Amino acid sequence: MSQSLLEMAKDLVLAQIEAHRLSPEEMHQALQQTYTTLMTLQAQEGADGSVPVATPQIPPKPVDWRKSLTKYQVTCLECEQSYKQLSVRHLKEHGLDGRSYRIKYGIPRAQPLAAKATTVKRKEIVQRSRPWEKAPTFLKAHEKAQQSGVQRKSTARKRA
Ligand SMILES: [Zn+2]
């Protein structure tokens, strides 16, 4: 600011006197009021003397996808809606899929687009249901093991 507040206030009041909107008698009061108003305005200014504006001058930081994945929800970085997981159908609404969404926001390919709790729960379910045990090779090996167990039992019974 090149002018002091008092100078600004004086200039403003003088301008009003010149415009015949103010008598010289009213000047003192007007000067006080104007000065107070300017003080208030200055207080509203930032510490660096810049007047805050509605639009931020600093460009928004790149989105941190890690913040979009919390324990109980995942926030879609496109529309900021929260879900338990980002479905393929939802991403399609943004013209994206799991792959392009991850690329766009720099998310690792192995990162599930789901709430952490959901991911953990799914792992638990997988471990509990043991889908690999339904694989034909495993079933065959398991059957054999059971058969030999039955045979062992029957021989044991014979012996008894
Ligand atoms: Zn979305």
Side-chain angles (χ1 to χ4, degrees), residues 75-83 86 90-91 93-94 101:
T75 307
C76 174
L77 293 166
E78 287 286 313
C79 64
E80 293 184 352
Q81 298 251 39
S82 294
Y83 303 94
L86 284 180
H90 179 81
L91 290 172
E93 285 174 29
H94 303 302
Y101 180 84

